[in-house]
Amino acid sequence: MNLRHLATAASLALLVPAMAACTSNSPSTGADGSDGTVTVTSTDDACEVSSTEVPAGPVTFTVTNSGSKVTEFYLLGEDGLRIVGEVENIGPQLSRDLVVNVPAGSYSTACKPGMKGEGIRADFTVAKSDTPVDAGDQASVEQAQTNYAAYVKDQSDQLLTKTTKFVQLYEAGKDEEARDLYAKARVHWERIETVAESFGDLDPKMDAREADLEPGQKWTGWHRIEKDLWPQEAKDYTALTDTERKTYGQDLLKNTTTLDTRIQKMTFTIDQIANGSRGLLEEVATGKVTGEEEIWSHTDLWDFQANVDGAKVGYDGVRPILVAKGDKELATQLDTRFAALQKLLDQHKEGDGFVSYTDLTKDEVKALSDAVNALSEPLSKLTAAVV
Amino acid sequence: MTEDETSESTSFGPSRRAMIGTGAVASAIGIAGGFTAGRATAAEPTKGAPPSPFALRGAHQPGITTPVQDRLHFAAFDVTTTSRARLISLLKEWTLAAERLMDGGPAGPIGPVEGDYRLPPDDTGEAIGLPPSRLTITFGFGPGLFADEEGKDRFGLGGRQPDVLKDLPHFPGDQLDQARSRGDLCIQACADDPQVAVHAIRNLARIGFGTVSVRWSQLGFGRTSSTTAGQATPRNLFGFKDGTKNILVEEAKALDEHVWVQPDDHGGDWLAGGSYLAVRRINMVIETWDRQGLGEQESLIGRTKDSGAPLSGGQEHDDPDFAMPGRGGPVVPKDSHVAVVHPDHNHGARILRRGYNFVDGSTDLGTLDAGLFFLAYVRDPATQFIPMQNAMAKNDAMMEYLKFTGSALFAVPPGAGEGEYIGQALFT
């Protein structure tokens, strides 16, 4: 997940439930809105909404842009400020669905051709129905945001502390101690990897693997040093000199400091937290479970656990919102599958860490991979369920 | 289910299958041939065209601008002989065999069930009764044909190796399997029936035993591009229309500019009228991709999943408007696939794509070993393909879901004239 994905996650998050519901819940289109389906035609100077009243429950707005500029559609609360739901970036002649679960009350709709101003607004009513809808609890939202930001900042802080120590040991030629601290320091990176990676300028300098490089690109960062500390499997490897060690060590430290400075200023929205949780499991599926991340040290299971830790923290933070919104079933499924994955990981613990990835049998790796897939599938629905 | 119902539900030669049951093989060929043409009319403006297969001989080899068939078998070979004469005689044999095969005939001059009863047939027989299925066979020469790993001239061709015919560089994200990369020679067999394509490669490899050895081969199903205006743009395994901006056979000027090597180009003395073929086996991280929201998928590609229209609006073939503002940046994101590889952002470079979807079963972890077997024909890989691949590796957000596992580059000689063999100009 890169920076753009973080930045646009809010709008994307709304598209996810929209499409899912569109295929399953709206086989017919009732222009009168009685079945919770409303068509919206946005032009450069008008916003035609097929119905101004729907029953409480899930509502699908199918928004078509018939104008010449990019448009947006909003469902706003009674105060005209609170955004209940939105779809952005609808290009000319394209359509998008917005699905929102709305309780009874007064609202307004707004098309915003050209994405400027307060948009073309109209009153919109949601009538009482038999479908219970929970509006969500603002306090638990703020709690989740505060807690997650604190977690990320703390991890970044610990990363900087341990990296400082690691670089000192490495530069001093205390290889055994440096090797011991390598995975322990990286754990803090891996726990917040989706956030750390969102800085496109730092990630390639800090976490690039040899295979990621292009000709002429200088290889720096954690994995460069990893190879120097675990050269046994490297062919024809020339150890770095003391001067080179200092160069790479200081470079890593400088970038870690920059990263920490930036992270200390960050805030996170609910969809970013939920997307981050999903993203960390993707990191496991694509890099860790295949043993590609730490090809020299084989400390992949440390990273694996750290990614899962970070995902679990994100999930636990938004879980009260998930439950409040009524999706206990998803919460139960995620609880069970996080636990199942953790149980598998626990089998490979050794001392204060993990066995080498090369010690795992094929069947053990497959079992881990299956557990990651089992968890990732429902986790991919989390953002839509909590936003 | 009766035989007829089975026939109705299959897309290839239903008449043939029914007919073979009755033993009327010869007439089945005619009827099924007609059926093939009939199918073609659904998507292409060839209504009323006779059911004749494409010709091997001509200014250009077939299988480049030919309307893309549905199936592929692609093979790369190492040349094992040290004899220039043996190599030339193989190219002669291959040319004749390919001509027969494309014509719907046997690989050898005798046939699968004809000839000496004590001898193994000179055609393996699995294509008996099958129509030509629009088979095309295309040959290419890799850098290794000219010089070995130490740079030593192998067949007296060293001085004629074009500057740009060398192994593709390592690109970021490459995790190449050498056993699926490179090759001294290649054969691309495309057909609407996979058995016809496999039959071609199998028999050509058989002819080559002792002179060449198969280095690797790849099956492809489901074309992922169109080369004629009448063909609908197909979908890749991400579920998106791919190669909308492909060069089409109708664009004669663009073909000369972007696909066919010109006489004045380096190596043009033997390669003019030919092209370069860049081959990339691109594994897709299917399971992770499938967990992305629809909006995220569309923003990674830069097109809608439904119609394939650019996110700046309109229809599939409308030009993307990369300047159109959206919330948080251009409405077609700068790191979307369409923005990164668009000719406007690559000094006008265009390529002729002819790739195929592939699924080679599943991995040890139970995930699909699947993706896109990318084939692109270009006039100059150094200015068209390599910069585009580098831009993609550096800037394309889709890279997160791709792993490049195979890579090769070949020079594809021009078509052979009557009485000539493929690549003859290189050896004379």
Side-chain angles (χ1 to χ4, degrees):
Chain A
M1 196 165 71
N2 63 28
L3 190 58
R4 171 168 68 77
H5 304 154
L6 273 175
T8 59
S11 59
L12 298 172
L14 287 156
L15 291 170
V16 177
M19 292 308 177
C22 163
T23 51
S24 57
N25 296 348
S26 53
S28 64
T29 306
D32 65 352
S34 59
D35 65 348
T37 306
V38 179
T39 57
V40 178
T41 306
S42 171
T43 63
D44 288 350
D45 51 15
C47 183
E48 290 167 29
V49 182
S50 69
S51 169
T52 54
E53 184 171 322
V54 295
V59 185
T60 301
F61 294 93
T62 299
V63 187
T64 302
N65 182 359
S66 299
S68 60
K69 300 173 195 161
V70 174
T71 194
E72 300 173 329
F73 175 77
Y74 293 84
L75 181 67
L76 301 163
E78 192 170 12
D79 60 3
L81 297 172
R82 186 172 64 91
I83 297 169
V84 179
E86 61 179 324
V87 270
E88 296 173 334
N89 285 341
I90 312 171
Q93 290 105 59
L94 300 183
S95 21
R96 290 272 188 275
D97 283 8
L98 166 66
V99 174
V100 276
N101 206 13
V102 276
S106 298
Y107 298 83
S108 58
T109 53
C111 293
K112 212 186 267 193
M115 302 171 296
K116 290 204 178 75
E118 65 165 21
I120 304 157
R121 298 192 176 203
D123 291 338
F124 191 79
T125 307
V126 177
K128 283 205 172 73
S129 75
D130 298 337
T131 315
V133 180
D134 190 300
D137 170 8
Q138 191 56 29
S140 56
V141 167
E142 281 165 18
Q143 185 73 42
Q145 290 170 341
T146 309
N147 290 354
Y148 191 72
Y151 174 76
V152 172
K153 287 169 191 179
D154 178 53
Q155 291 303 319
S156 174
D157 190 48
Q158 292 193 56
L159 174 67
L160 182 56
T161 305
K162 288 192 187 160
T163 305
T164 308
K165 178 75 184 156
F166 171 78
V167 167
Q168 278 170 7
L169 293 169
Y170 176 64
E171 286 179 13
K174 296 180 178 170
D175 286 13
E176 198 165 323
E177 289 170 72
R179 278 193 287 268
D180 184 57
L181 193 55
Y182 174 81
K184 289 175 186 165
R186 277 184 56 75
V187 155
H188 302 292
W189 166 280
E190 297 290 345
R191 283 180 183 152
I192 55 171
E193 189 174 13
T194 46
V195 178
E197 277 188 352
S198 68
F199 299 103
D201 56 335
L202 292 177
D203 181 52
K205 292 181 192 162
M206 296 177 71
D207 201 34
R209 295 170 299 183
E210 204 166 4
D212 300 334
L213 305 173
E214 59 186 281
Q217 184 189 340
K218 192 169 163 60
W219 187 27
T220 60
W222 281 106
H223 297 296
R224 179 68 194 88
I225 298 173
E226 179 200 3
K227 189 176 184 180
D228 198 46
L229 285 170
W230 281 273
Q232 292 84 351
E233 292 169 34
K235 276 185 208 149
D236 307 323
Y237 182 72
T238 311
L240 296 180
T241 64
D242 287 353
T243 316
E244 285 169 327
R245 281 193 171 208
K246 193 162 175 15
T247 306
Y248 289 112
Q250 289 305 312
D251 181 69
L252 177 63
L253 193 55
K254 186 190 76 189
N255 289 326
T256 309
T257 309
T258 307
L259 176 71
D260 184 56
T261 310
R262 291 187 194 168
I263 282 179
Q264 297 304 329
K265 294 177 201 150
M266 287 182 87
T267 58
F268 301 91
T269 57
I270 292 301
D271 54 275
Q272 287 172 341
I273 299 169
N275 275 337
S277 184
R278 184 200 68 189
L280 284 168
L281 256 289
E282 282 169 17
E283 299 288 347
V284 175
T286 52
K288 277 70 176 192
V289 87
T290 54
E292 289 166 45
E293 181 74 16
E294 308 284 0
I295 59 165
W296 309 111
S297 66
H298 304 302
T299 53
D300 303 85
L301 282 175
W302 294 72
D303 301 354
F304 194 140
Q305 177 72 62
N307 280 162
V308 174
D309 288 346
K312 183 76 164 39
V313 166
Y315 164 64
D316 285 344
V318 299
R319 192 179 182 284
I321 306 168
L322 182 64
V323 174
K325 292 210 169 192
D327 206 340
K328 289 201 181 76
E329 201 179 326
L330 181 58
T332 308
Q333 192 177 36
L334 287 169
D335 292 344
T336 312
R337 294 189 177 180
F338 262 116
L341 177 58
Q342 190 55 56
K343 201 174 156 200
L344 277 180
L345 276 169
D346 288 346
Q347 292 173 5
H348 307 297
K349 279 193 169 153
E350 187 181 70
D352 56 358
F354 288 89
V355 299
S356 166
Y357 207 73
T358 49
D359 289 349
L360 300 183
T361 65
K362 262 190 173 182
D363 286 347
E364 285 168 338
V365 172
K366 176 74 159 50
L368 284 168
S369 172
D370 288 346
V372 168
N373 278 326
L375 173 58
S376 298
E377 223 23 73
L379 198 56
S380 69
K381 298 175 185 149
L382 180 63
T383 308
V386 295
V387 174
Chain B
M1 189 181 262
T2 68
E3 182 119 302
D4 282 344
E5 280 165 347
T6 311
S7 302
E8 290 297 319
S9 66
T10 57
S11 50
F12 296 109
S15 321
R16 174 184 60 74
R17 188 176 289 198
M19 289 292 181
I20 285 176
T22 68
V25 171
S27 62
I29 294 174
I31 292 168
F35 175 78
T36 304
R39 273 187 73 223
T41 57
E44 294 144 26
T46 53
K47 199 170 173 66
S52 62
F54 306 112
L56 179 84
R57 299 185 189 279
H60 311 294
Q61 286 198 64
I64 302 174
T65 58
T66 311
V68 186
Q69 303 91 328
D70 293 330
R71 310 294 178 124
L72 166 83
H73 193 185
F74 189 99
F77 299 83
D78 289 329
V79 178
T80 52
T81 185
T82 53
S83 156
R84 178 181 163 112
R86 285 276 298 274
L87 176 62
I88 290 173
S89 98
L90 173 65
L91 291 172
K92 286 179 178 168
E93 273 193 83
W94 269 359
T95 304
L96 295 174
E99 190 171 27
R100 283 189 293 265
L101 287 165
M102 281 181 52
D103 206 24
I110 300 170
V113 292
E114 297 82 3
D116 191 331
Y117 219 56
R118 297 164 304 174
L119 282 175
D122 66 2
D123 179 285
T124 52
E126 72 271 31
I128 296 175
L130 296 179
S133 303
R134 301 200 294 162
L135 174 69
T136 57
I137 297 170
T138 317
F139 297 90
F141 299 159
L145 191 68
F146 296 82
D148 65 15
E149 308 250 321
E150 281 83 47
K152 195 164 147 272
D153 193 348
R154 293 182 70 187
F155 300 103
L157 301 171
R160 307 191 70 182
Q161 180 170 0
D163 289 343
V164 291
L165 181 63
K166 49 190 177 194
D167 285 337
L168 291 170
H170 174 90
F171 296 104
D174 275 7
Q175 295 177 35
L176 301 184
D177 179 354
Q178 284 307 320
R180 293 186 191 276
S181 298
R182 307 168 63 222
D184 298 335
L185 295 170
C186 75
I187 304 178
Q188 168 195 286
C190 302
D192 288 333
D193 185 332
Q195 184 136 325
V196 170
V198 169
H199 172 254
I201 293 294
R202 172 180 172 184
N203 281 273
L204 293 170
R206 186 178 172 215
I207 292 168
F209 283 131
T211 310
V212 294
S213 120
V214 176
R215 184 177 170 88
W216 52 269
S217 85
Q218 178 72 51
L219 288 172
F221 71 92
R223 63 187 173 91
T224 61
S225 59
S226 308
T227 52
T228 62
Q231 280 183 308
T233 312
R235 289 177 190 273
N236 62 24
L237 293 182
F238 284 154
F240 278 79
K241 290 188 178 181
D242 205 356
T244 291
K245 193 73 182 160
N246 212 16
I247 301 177
L248 305 177
V249 68
E250 290 85 357
E251 301 176 82
K253 194 160 162 278
L255 288 171
D256 279 343
E257 190 180 341
H258 300 289
V259 177
W260 304 128
V261 172
Q262 300 298 311
D264 290 341
D265 295 349
H266 194 252
D269 58 321
W270 66 273
L271 194 54
S275 188
Y276 290 93
L277 170 59
V279 181
R280 304 278 285 167
R281 185 175 186 273
I282 308 173
N283 271 84
M284 293 171 164
V285 188
I286 301 273
E287 290 73 15
T288 309
W289 174 268
D290 292 344
R291 291 176 196 133
Q292 307 307 312
L294 179 61
E296 172 73 358
Q297 292 184 10
E298 291 190 346
S299 80
L300 286 161
I301 301 289
R303 294 184 179 278
T304 66
K305 197 166 190 175
D306 184 7
S307 69
L311 293 183
S312 52
Q315 311 298 318
E316 180 196 349
H317 291 282
D318 290 349
D319 283 330
D321 181 350
F322 295 112
M324 184 179 280
R327 180 68 64 180
V331 71
V332 182
K334 273 186 179 168
D335 60 356
S336 65
H337 181 63
V338 68
V340 171
V341 302
H342 196 273
D344 287 0
H345 301 156
N346 289 277
H347 307 286
R350 295 177 66 188
I351 58 177
L352 187 148
R353 295 180 53 165
R354 224 177 183 284
Y356 286 82
N357 295 326
F358 73 85
V359 175
D360 289 349
S362 299
T363 66
D364 286 350
L365 297 179
T367 57
L368 280 177
D369 180 0
L372 175 67
F373 188 66
F374 175 95
L375 299 170
Y377 287 89
V378 295
R379 176 178 167 189
D380 179 4
T383 59
Q384 290 169 271
F385 176 72
I386 293 173
M388 196 182 290
Q389 180 66 56
N390 264 321
M392 203 177 140
K394 264 190 258 180
N395 307 321
D396 195 330
M398 198 173 76
M399 283 295 289
E400 210 171 318
Y401 304 92
L402 304 177
K403 280 183 187 175
F404 293 77
T405 49
S407 185
L409 182 71
F410 300 97
V412 175
E418 286 304 326
E420 291 180 354
Y421 61 91
I422 295 283
Q424 184 164 329
L426 177 61
F427 295 90
T428 49

